[in-house]
Amino acid sequence: QKEVEQNSGPLSVPEGAIASLNCTYSDRGSQSFFWYRQYSGKSPELIMFIYSNGDKEDGRFTAQLNKASQYVSLLIRDSQPSDSATYLCAVGPPYSGAGSYQLTFGKGTKLSVIP
Amino acid sequence: EADIYQTPRYLVIGTGKKITLECSQTMGHDKMYWYQQDPGMELHLIHYSYGVNSTEKGDLSSESTVSRIRTEHFPLTLESARPSHTSQYLCASTGGPEAFFGQGTRLTVV
């Protein structure tokens, strides 16, 4: 049974602070890692992906991956009230094109950025 | 931006009615998925397809059925809607490692 674990929160941070969201996964064969943002009542939106160990930065977002520890995180710098949402961690097996492929989603962490 | 569309966005329907939720994508993706999500709860995979004429049931048991006659189209059907089917239904597709979601259909069965 593949599992992706996230702290459900809510995680509250003041505006302008760094929000740190964490995720652990059970399948050591996982190769692709994603962060989705989901506003209340809306569908998930892909905001970051990372495939290699280390850090990947995109604007105010930084994804960090440590495959040895089976840990992936998302840092949001200069947090804004508009960042308030649920953040879903998703983990995928190696992608080969044809054949089966499914992402395993965590339950999500609810982030509240307080003005 | 992903081109995956779901209709209707909102649907209120009476118990016992047959309904079809539409999902179409213009990206040529082979793999498509249906998820069910109650408010504030996790995503549950209910159906998936890896290509035309390929459909499988997901992790969560569902009374719905799906079909995949064309690559771009992956409709979900409930033969007889019940209040327990009230939920948000999300369609997704992948052409590479990442998945893209449609806007979702919020279904209410009264």
Side-chain angles (χ1 to χ4, degrees):
Chain A
Q1 180 86 6
K2 299 175 183 177
E3 293 183 345
V4 175
E5 300 287 341
Q6 295 181 255
N7 188 322
S8 62
L11 173 66
S12 294
V13 300
E15 184 174 355
I18 296 175
S20 178
L21 305 165
N22 305 315
C23 171
T24 59
Y25 59 95
S26 63
D27 184 5
R28 284 197 170 272
S30 300
Q31 291 289 327
S32 48
F33 306 86
F34 307 92
W35 284 99
Y36 287 82
R37 177 176 62 199
Q38 186 175 26
Y39 292 114
S40 181
K42 303 296 185 181
S43 62
E45 171 193 12
L46 179 66
I47 56 171
M48 287 286 291
F49 59 88
I50 186 166
Y51 304 141
S52 303
N53 277 330
D55 295 0
K56 179 181 179 182
E57 187 174 318
D58 184 1
R60 295 187 296 111
F61 299 97
T62 298
Q64 299 175 317
L65 175 61
N66 184 326
K67 289 185 180 179
S69 299
Q70 295 175 249
Y71 175 90
V72 59
S73 66
L74 179 70
L75 301 178
I76 306 174
R77 290 183 300 282
D78 188 24
S79 295
Q80 301 297 310
S82 59
D83 295 326
S84 297
T86 296
Y87 289 80
L88 304 176
C89 174
V91 173
Y95 185 85
S96 62
S100 65
Y101 181 80
Q102 288 182 26
L103 295 180
T104 301
F105 285 87
K107 295 182 179 181
T109 297
K110 186 171 184 178
L111 172 67
S112 293
V113 180
I114 311 302
Chain B
E1 188 169 322
D3 295 321
I4 178 166
Y5 308 100
Q6 290 186 244
T7 58
R9 290 290 312 281
Y10 303 93
L11 178 62
V12 180
I13 199 162
T15 298
K17 299 291 187 182
K18 178 181 179 179
I19 57 172
T20 297
L21 308 184
E22 302 287 349
C23 177
S24 295
Q25 49 94 6
T26 60
M27 299 171 285
H29 290 170
D30 285 331
K31 304 183 196 340
M32 296 188 73
Y33 311 83
W34 276 103
Y35 293 88
Q36 185 175 342
Q37 186 181 37
D38 293 327
M41 303 299 286
E42 63 193 293
L43 292 168
H44 290 287
L45 180 66
I46 53 175
H47 296 284
Y48 57 95
S49 167
Y50 295 145
V52 171
N53 295 325
S54 149
T55 62
E56 301 286 345
K57 288 186 179 293
D59 304 325
L60 181 68
S61 175
S62 173
E63 294 166 348
S64 58
T65 59
V66 293
S67 62
R68 190 87 183 279
I69 299 172
R70 303 196 317 266
T71 297
E72 62 272 19
H73 195 211
F74 190 40
L76 181 145
T77 298
L78 278 165
E79 291 292 335
S80 180
R82 295 210 299 265
S84 60
H85 296 139
T86 294
S87 189
Q88 174 157 258
Y89 293 84
L90 295 164
C91 181
S93 73
T94 67
E98 65 274 20
F100 297 99
F101 286 83
Q103 300 275 56
T105 294
R106 171 78 60 188
L107 173 66
T108 302
V109 184
V110 298

